Amino acid sequence: MDSHKQIIARFASTIDDTFDECGDTVLDYEGNEYKTVQIGDQCWMAENLKKINHDNGEITHRPNIDDWDYTVPSSWAYYDNDSTNNKLHGKLYSWVAATQPGLCPQGWHLPTDEEWKDLELSLGMSESELNDDLHQRGESENVGGKLKLAGTKYWESSNFGATNESGFSALPSGRTSGDTPFAGFGIVANFWTSTKGTAGELAFSRGLSTWGGGIDRRDGSSIATNGKSIRCVLD
């Protein structure tokens, strides 16, 4: 019987040939297909990741968020444990799960904090704001609004500033945390970066909300107990 890595290599080599240029869809070997979009000099997935297998095995589905801790940090869940959310919103992953090698489709990777900054610069954020966190950066340039899917079909309230002119098509897929198992569906979008935080077991992330046109850069997300969405970027 083929090993897990042999199966990955065989499928990945076939799938890799199907992606020609940004704007095409990319297929992972689990059969999930994702739209892609060019933003500045980068090519991003325009949908949240759904994949659970990586180069060394499979991430563990842990529907009880209380089980997400530092002894079992590689976890994923559907928002509110509702599998119907997977089709549109993908999965929520712990940071350790998100950074497993080969989780993104072949030729793609979890973006770094710096790669998110490149995205933000291309959408008009000033360099003076680039390293600020814990508040809505890029509000005056509507950086977050340019990333959010427009309208209120999925985003609640006013969905302030949403134009989706970037084509990123961010959805309010919510999050998990140690204090609140599931929160923010319809209100917030949260995305991991691959960059560890400056203190403790934390990592950088990005956040969008229905009530603002900016984007949060947070250096305080638990790598084990927080669950966020993933957008991959082309190598």
Side-chain angles (χ1 to χ4, degrees):
M1 181 178 292
D2 288 344
S3 70
H4 178 79
K5 288 188 177 181
Q6 286 173 322
I7 293 171
I8 289 176
R10 186 172 69 250
F11 277 86
S13 64
T14 301
I15 291 168
D16 192 46
D17 293 336
T18 67
F19 186 79
D20 295 321
E21 61 182 25
C22 202
D24 291 346
T25 58
V26 60
L27 187 70
D28 68 38
Y29 78 88
E30 293 175 15
N32 303 300
E33 190 172 13
Y34 308 94
K35 297 175 182 176
T36 67
V37 62
Q38 186 81 31
I39 305 176
D41 294 329
Q42 300 168 310
C43 184
W44 289 79
M45 281 172 34
E47 300 180 65
N48 293 347
L49 191 70
K50 303 177 177 72
K51 196 164 172 275
I52 58 172
N53 287 281
H54 55 88
D55 286 353
N56 298 314
E58 184 176 296
I59 297 166
T60 302
H61 179 202
R62 291 192 172 90
N64 184 355
I65 307 304
D66 289 339
D67 293 336
W68 290 34
D69 61 36
Y70 291 103
T71 63
V72 286
S74 189
S75 309
W76 69 266
Y78 303 114
Y79 186 89
D80 213 19
N81 292 320
D82 184 350
S83 62
T84 63
N85 285 323
N86 189 60
K87 182 177 181 180
L88 189 64
H89 296 277
K91 297 174 174 66
L92 299 173
Y93 302 83
S94 68
W95 184 84
V96 175
T99 54
Q100 292 295 323
L103 182 61
C104 286
Q106 184 175 2
W108 298 74
H109 63 274
L110 183 68
T112 64
D113 182 52
E114 291 299 319
E115 286 174 314
W116 269 98
K117 288 182 185 179
D118 289 341
L119 170 67
E120 293 158 349
L121 277 175
S122 72
L123 296 178
M125 185 179 290
S126 66
E127 293 197 25
S128 63
E129 286 186 284
L130 209 59
N131 293 302
D132 289 346
D133 59 6
L134 298 179
H135 72 285
Q136 291 282 295
R137 303 150 55 249
E139 187 83 44
S140 61
E141 301 89 359
N142 197 38
V143 172
K146 295 172 184 176
L147 294 168
K148 294 188 295 180
L149 195 69
T152 54
K153 181 177 181 180
Y154 302 109
W155 287 90
E156 294 182 8
S157 188
S158 62
N159 196 13
F160 183 85
T163 66
N164 198 33
E165 67 180 78
S166 69
F168 190 82
S169 302
L171 288 164
S173 303
R175 62 178 183 270
T176 75
S177 71
D179 296 329
T180 308
F182 297 102
F185 195 79
I187 298 173
V188 299
N190 290 118
F191 303 99
W192 284 121
T193 81
S194 63
T195 304
K196 283 289 289 286
T198 56
E201 297 298 308
L202 305 174
F204 282 96
S205 63
R206 291 300 191 277
L208 306 169
S209 70
T210 190
W211 52 79
I215 181 170
D216 279 348
R217 174 180 178 260
R218 293 191 178 265
D219 177 15
S221 294
S222 165
I223 66 174
T225 60
N226 287 174
K228 303 181 189 297
S229 302
I230 292 176
R231 289 294 181 94
C232 302
V233 67
L234 190 65
D235 293 350

